[in-house]
Amino acid sequence: MKAALLSVGTEILFGQITNTNTVYLSQKLNSMGIDVMYHFTVGDNPGRLAEMIEISFRDCDIVITTGGLGPTQDDLTKETACSVMGDSLVMHKDILESIEKRVLSYRTVMTDNNRKQAEMPSRCRVFYNDAGTAPGFALDRVNPQCPEKKQWIACMPGPPSEMMRMFEKSVMPWLEELSEGALYYRELRTFGIGESALETSLLPVIDGQTDPTVATYAKTGECSVRIASKRKTREEAKEAVEEMINRVMELVGDYVYSTHGEDYPSMVGRLLIERGITVSCAESCTGGKFAAALTDISGISQVFDRGIVTYSNAAKIQELGVKSETLAEHGAVSEETAKEMAVGIRRVSGSDIGISVTGIAGPDGGTDEKPVGLVYIGLAWGDEVICRKISRNIKDRDGNRTNAMLSMFDMIYRNILC
Amino acid sequence: MKAALLSVGTEILFGQITNTNTVYLSQKLNSMGIDVMYHFTVGDNPGRLAEMIEISFRDCDIVITTGGLGPTQDDLTKETACSVMGDSLVMHKDILESIEKRVLSYRTVMTDNNRKQAEMPSRCRVFYNDAGTAPGFALDRVNPQCPEKKQWIACMPGPPSEMMRMFEKSVMPWLEELSEGALYYRELRTFGIGESALETSLLPVIDGQTDPTVATYAKTGECSVRIASKRKTREEAKEAVEEMINRVMELVGDYVYSTHGEDYPSMVGRLLIERGITVSCAESCTGGKFAAALTDISGISQVFDRGIVTYSNAAKIQELGVKSETLAEHGAVSEETAKEMAVGIRRVSGSDIGISVTGIAGPDGGTDEKPVGLVYIGLAWGDEVICRKISRNIKDRDGNRTNAMLSMFDMIYRNILC
């Protein structure tokens, strides 16, 4: 199966937003064994949009669009897809009801353009939207060049959070129904190794690969390895993937924290809840990112008691009981301060685990002795207090903060949960 | 002048890299008054590349390619552009010398594929590469549909650092020679109004628009309005946009917080630093997202003292001095608790502003009386303590948390900074 990705939106052509949807969809489709042949972006213009759909269908079976499904006048993807695929819009009562329910929960009136969002192609498969008002859909037509074959278009909204939820919940299962043979894939998540080093370590299984395929992907602060196989049955594909996972684990197992694609905050949060281990955190350079990532998980209130962001020295002393002598002698960014912060947050919260972080995120504020990228993470549990030092030497504030936050999850996982 | 951007590289179609070149080039070209009509991405495949160049030329005057100019076998942009534009490759001695100089500075031998990089179209304009070995070039041909007009292709290397240097030093001056007119645009950011209501309010200026154009875009948790004009000079375009901004402000000014595209955390953080107003926060349902967003800003340590994430009732009582009677009588999610949290964080931190949030992010945990999406934000400064209630009734944990976080910035801006 071959696919084209078609992004709709003048804001992309203006360079106002970075098109991350195509990155996400390319990774997902490739990992499902669907070849991505093109990325196209057009503005909110039905003529050019229709032309690009037809151009895509010259050598692709599926066109996946994002954007242009909103309630406003320049949102014309639905109408255009309908006319290219030979269908027409009709009002879907159940969609209208769900939009009404959503809109009236935060506003007093439904507008005509909200009502328009409930009009959908008559013979489409609807993809419901959990996170916004615009539903998505899939439509097919007979391939004009080859009448025994079909062509498909799937249309999703542009905002990444809506699109990703819809893709995972509805579009992926639909694509799995369409594709011949059975695909099985797994994502291994690693932490603490860069992408080029990871790929070099995996060369024995990457070189000359046909099936299963093994590919590395860099994510923010970490890398993942995707292993995919397409066989006659799902069982055969699964077996081939699992065999390859064993080989990959022999080569880079030390860095793998999840063999099922689960990210660090979700995995650590799940394990803490399952085992009833409580945690509190004291953050400096990450400024609340660890607490924010952990509390993304529904139900975490069972084990997360409190987090304190101590940006000033006064806050470190008052909130956590860090000694002023420690700050004077070793500085706020030091092993000693990190350890006292971890012990302090554990004491004030009464949690099983106290985790702390202090560092220099940059871009400014570094010295020769304590450069930007220097971070200390403290961990206190039971009678133990340990500290990890990280020296990245990169003036990338966001990268340093994300890396420090993920390292906190890594510390908890490696020392307590794994 | 109309342009298409054509990115060449299988790694983009695999989702292995994010295409930031198109964002950069779109911004640059639009600001020069050149309309970007399409973004296309194809793999390292000369047939599809040639086809996309021809498709672009149907309604564009210029095609700008990035990628595929490297020394390896799959780099075929130069050969393909040459054949589409009706030219052939010849060895350029001065380029060969400069590549030799660069290569021999870090390696002992020139390889054949380095030598191949000095072969360029016979009648091209060369763009020298300060940051790598692959030179770029521009070529023209007579428009086959309209022989009195010309069509141009400009080819640049894919690595962003090489491409950006080449664009600024060589391609931009070349484009300025070719183009007519200048574009000016501004982005207005709004909070507290949905995209469909925003567009409905703006219909008087959106309907029948030609220049300036007015368009609305939904972002995560908020919407923006883009106003653009293209005139003979930048001054004329700027004047037209500013006049339109005045009309837009009359219609939806109550919701606009920035007329220069600045986001809420950056703007509020900047204003707090400029005015030396200190702030601390107490978060419950947002779990640290407010503190994390504020501390994204370099230099914020001047005004941000501390943040406390009080997930448990015990933490609210111990850290912030919330009364246990208040929690028993009104619950953790209530106006009374929000106000006591704001007053408490202001007292313990000694900051000028204390801001708090408590709510039910969902998807679970709601009741009939206190449904998912109910959020209270408390703000204490000087002798005042106020509270804002938000009822969204949406079971979207991430959306509720983001909306609550942005509302905290909105409370500070509307009540203290604006």
Side-chain angles (χ1 to χ4, degrees):
Chain A
M1 294 242 293
K2 293 177 178 178
L5 301 182
L6 216 165
S7 311
V8 185
T10 307
E11 69 277 25
I12 306 172
L13 297 180
F14 269 99
Q16 288 181 321
I17 59 168
T18 304
N19 194 342
T20 54
N21 285 345
T22 50
V23 178
Y24 172 85
L25 289 172
S26 296
Q27 291 182 358
K28 288 284 178 186
L29 294 173
N30 277 295
S31 72
M32 294 177 72
I34 298 171
D35 289 331
V36 178
M37 306 298 285
Y38 304 102
H39 295 174
F40 294 140
T41 303
V42 293
D44 301 304
N45 177 299
R48 283 192 282 275
L49 175 56
E51 198 186 4
M52 284 302 129
I53 297 172
E54 291 292 8
I55 287 170
S56 303
F57 278 138
R58 287 193 203 164
D59 50 4
C60 293
D61 312 288
I62 310 173
V63 176
I64 297 184
T65 75
T66 51
L69 292 183
T72 65
Q73 289 191 344
D74 60 2
D75 290 310
L76 295 158
T77 303
K78 199 160 60 178
E79 289 75 0
T80 307
C82 234
S83 98
V84 172
M85 305 304 280
D87 197 358
S88 54
L89 294 176
V90 296
M91 179 63 74
H92 284 231
K93 286 229 171 90
D94 56 329
I95 299 175
L96 183 64
E97 279 168 23
S98 78
I99 293 176
E100 260 175 354
K101 211 170 146 190
R102 172 175 282 269
V103 168
L104 297 179
S105 74
Y106 57 83
R107 227 191 310 125
T108 49
V109 278
M110 278 280 283
T111 54
D112 278 349
N113 49 25
N114 282 135
R115 212 161 273 120
K116 183 191 132 192
Q117 292 192 289
E119 289 177 7
M120 300 288 279
S122 69
R123 54 184 178 75
C124 75
R125 169 156 171 171
V126 176
F127 302 134
Y128 291 90
N129 188 339
D130 290 342
T133 51
F137 62 90
L139 256 182
D140 59 21
R141 72 172 188 187
V142 168
N143 183 334
Q145 265 71 53
C146 177
E148 68 273 22
K149 283 196 173 178
K150 274 191 174 180
Q151 294 174 326
W152 293 272
I153 191 165
C155 300
M156 290 188 284
S161 60
E162 297 180 32
M163 184 281 292
M164 289 190 286
R165 271 176 92 128
M166 186 176 289
F167 186 82
E168 264 158 57
K169 220 178 124 184
S170 310
V171 180
M172 202 149 67
W174 170 74
L175 286 170
E176 276 163 2
E177 286 171 29
L178 291 186
S179 68
E180 296 146 21
L183 184 107
Y184 182 82
Y185 68 91
R186 287 262 290 278
E187 185 187 358
L188 273 50
R189 298 187 75 131
T190 72
F191 185 75
I193 183 170
E195 195 191 2
S196 51
L198 184 64
E199 203 196 12
T200 305
S201 304
L202 290 175
L203 277 181
V205 294
I206 290 178
D207 264 2
Q209 58 178 305
T210 49
D211 183 310
T213 55
V214 178
T216 59
Y217 296 96
K219 300 186 183 252
T220 310
E222 55 164 87
C223 295
S224 67
V225 183
R226 274 160 209 262
I227 300 167
S229 172
K230 197 166 178 181
R231 301 285 166 101
K232 270 188 198 148
T233 68
R234 193 173 181 278
E235 285 61 42
E236 280 177 51
K238 191 175 174 214
E239 199 175 307
V241 166
E242 283 174 349
E243 208 168 286
M244 180 59 84
I245 287 178
N246 291 338
R247 293 190 58 197
V248 168
M249 291 300 282
E250 279 168 27
L251 297 168
V252 297
D254 285 351
Y255 300 99
V256 173
Y257 67 84
S258 169
T259 56
H260 284 83
E262 203 175 15
D263 64 54
Y264 243 152
S266 306
M267 192 177 81
V268 168
R270 177 177 59 74
L271 292 173
L272 291 171
I273 294 171
E274 280 173 15
R275 303 187 193 169
I277 301 174
T278 58
V279 64
S280 288
C281 59
E283 300 178 67
S284 185
C285 61
T286 53
K289 276 177 96 82
F290 175 85
L294 195 62
T295 56
D296 256 340
I297 301 155
S298 182
I300 197 72
S301 60
Q302 293 168 52
V303 295
F304 179 62
D305 184 79
R306 72 192 74 178
I308 305 192
V309 181
T310 51
Y311 235 55
S312 68
N313 278 350
K316 290 183 182 75
I317 294 167
Q318 289 164 28
E319 301 286 349
L320 305 171
V322 173
K323 295 196 208 87
S324 52
E325 305 86 70
T326 307
L327 291 166
E329 201 172 321
H330 303 283
V333 179
S334 64
E335 176 171 342
E336 291 76 9
T337 300
K339 283 181 168 175
E340 289 188 18
M341 288 171 70
V343 171
I345 188 66
R346 183 163 178 264
R347 188 185 56 245
V348 300
S349 65
S351 294
D352 299 322
I353 299 174
I355 180 124
S356 73
V357 60
T358 178
I360 300 157
D364 309 311
T367 62
D368 283 350
E369 203 197 339
K370 296 190 177 178
V372 167
L374 178 69
V375 170
Y376 292 93
I377 297 171
L379 178 67
W381 80 108
D383 296 326
E384 299 207 55
V385 194
I386 59 171
C387 184
R388 182 190 288 185
K389 179 182 175 181
I390 302 164
S391 312
R392 285 184 94 220
N393 217 2
I394 301 176
K395 290 197 175 177
D396 162 20
R397 184 177 181 84
D398 195 44
N400 286 332
R401 277 157 54 90
T402 302
N403 185 272
M405 180 267 284
L406 290 172
S407 296
M408 293 168 78
F409 286 103
D410 191 55
M411 277 279 274
I412 296 175
Y413 178 67
R414 297 286 170 199
N415 289 287
I416 299 173
L417 301 173
C418 88
Chain B
M1 295 248 290
K2 294 177 179 177
L5 301 182
L6 216 166
S7 310
V8 184
T10 306
E11 69 278 22
I12 306 172
L13 297 180
F14 270 102
Q16 288 178 321
I17 58 168
T18 304
N19 194 342
T20 54
N21 284 345
T22 51
V23 178
Y24 171 85
L25 288 172
S26 296
Q27 290 179 354
K28 289 286 177 182
L29 293 173
N30 277 294
S31 70
M32 294 176 72
I34 298 171
D35 289 333
V36 177
M37 306 299 285
Y38 305 103
H39 295 172
F40 294 141
T41 303
V42 293
D44 302 304
N45 177 300
R48 283 193 282 275
L49 175 57
E51 198 186 6
M52 284 302 130
I53 297 172
E54 290 292 7
I55 286 169
S56 303
F57 278 138
R58 288 195 203 162
D59 50 4
C60 293
D61 313 288
I62 310 174
V63 176
I64 297 183
T65 75
T66 50
L69 292 183
T72 62
Q73 289 190 342
D74 60 2
D75 290 310
L76 295 158
T77 303
K78 199 159 61 179
E79 288 76 359
T80 308
C82 233
S83 98
V84 172
M85 305 304 279
D87 198 357
S88 53
L89 294 176
V90 296
M91 179 61 76
H92 283 233
K93 285 230 172 92
D94 55 330
I95 298 174
L96 183 63
E97 278 167 26
S98 78
I99 292 177
E100 262 176 351
K101 214 171 145 186
R102 171 174 283 271
V103 168
L104 298 179
S105 74
Y106 57 83
R107 227 188 314 122
T108 49
V109 277
M110 279 280 282
T111 55
D112 279 349
N113 52 23
N114 282 136
R115 211 161 275 121
K116 182 190 135 193
Q117 292 192 288
E119 288 178 8
M120 300 289 278
S122 68
R123 52 186 178 73
C124 75
R125 171 158 169 168
V126 175
F127 302 134
Y128 291 90
N129 187 339
D130 290 344
T133 52
F137 62 90
L139 255 182
D140 59 21
R141 73 173 187 186
V142 169
N143 183 334
Q145 265 71 53
C146 177
E148 67 273 22
K149 284 194 171 179
K150 275 191 172 179
Q151 294 174 328
W152 294 272
I153 191 166
C155 300
M156 290 188 285
S161 59
E162 296 181 33
M163 185 281 291
M164 289 190 284
R165 272 176 92 129
M166 186 179 288
F167 185 82
E168 264 157 59
K169 221 179 125 183
S170 309
V171 180
M172 200 148 69
W174 170 74
L175 286 170
E176 274 163 2
E177 287 170 29
L178 295 183
S179 81
E180 313 136 18
L183 183 109
Y184 181 81
Y185 71 90
R186 287 261 291 277
E187 185 189 357
L188 273 51
R189 299 187 73 132
T190 72
F191 184 76
I193 183 170
E195 195 191 1
S196 51
L198 184 64
E199 201 203 18
T200 305
S201 304
L202 289 176
L203 278 182
V205 294
I206 290 178
D207 265 1
Q209 58 177 306
T210 50
D211 182 311
T213 55
V214 178
T216 59
Y217 298 97
K219 300 188 185 247
T220 310
E222 55 164 89
C223 294
S224 68
V225 182
R226 201 196 61 232
I227 300 165
S229 171
K230 192 168 180 181
R231 300 290 165 98
K232 269 189 198 147
T233 67
R234 193 174 181 277
E235 286 62 42
E236 280 178 50
K238 191 176 174 212
E239 202 174 305
V241 166
E242 283 173 351
E243 211 168 281
M244 180 58 84
I245 287 177
N246 291 338
R247 295 190 59 197
V248 168
M249 290 301 283
E250 280 168 27
L251 297 167
V252 295
D254 286 351
Y255 299 100
V256 174
Y257 67 84
S258 169
T259 56
H260 285 85
E262 204 175 14
D263 64 55
Y264 243 154
S266 306
M267 193 178 80
V268 168
R270 177 176 58 76
L271 292 172
L272 291 172
I273 293 172
E274 280 172 15
R275 302 187 193 170
I277 302 173
T278 57
V279 65
S280 287
C281 59
E283 300 179 68
S284 187
C285 61
T286 53
K289 275 176 98 80
F290 175 85
L294 195 62
T295 56
D296 256 340
I297 301 156
S298 182
I300 198 71
S301 60
Q302 293 167 52
V303 296
F304 179 63
D305 184 79
R306 72 190 77 176
I308 306 193
V309 181
T310 51
Y311 236 55
S312 68
N313 277 351
K316 290 183 183 73
I317 295 168
Q318 289 164 26
E319 301 286 347
L320 305 170
V322 173
K323 294 196 210 85
S324 51
E325 305 86 68
T326 308
L327 291 166
E329 201 172 318
H330 304 283
V333 179
S334 65
E335 176 170 341
E336 291 76 8
T337 299
K339 282 182 170 175
E340 289 188 18
M341 286 171 70
V343 171
I345 188 66
R346 184 164 177 263
R347 188 185 56 245
V348 299
S349 65
S351 294
D352 299 322
I353 299 174
I355 181 126
S356 73
V357 61
T358 178
I360 299 157
D364 309 312
T367 62
D368 283 350
E369 202 198 338
K370 295 191 176 177
V372 168
L374 178 69
V375 170
Y376 292 93
I377 296 171
L379 178 67
W381 80 110
D383 297 325
E384 299 207 56
V385 194
I386 59 171
C387 184
R388 180 190 290 184
K389 179 183 174 179
I390 303 164
S391 312
R392 285 184 94 219
N393 215 4
I394 300 176
K395 291 198 177 177
D396 163 19
R397 183 176 182 82
D398 194 45
N400 286 333
R401 278 158 52 91
T402 300
N403 185 273
M405 180 267 286
L406 290 172
S407 295
M408 294 168 79
F409 287 102
D410 191 56
M411 278 279 273
I412 295 176
Y413 178 67
R414 296 287 170 201
N415 290 288
I416 300 173
L417 300 174
C418 89

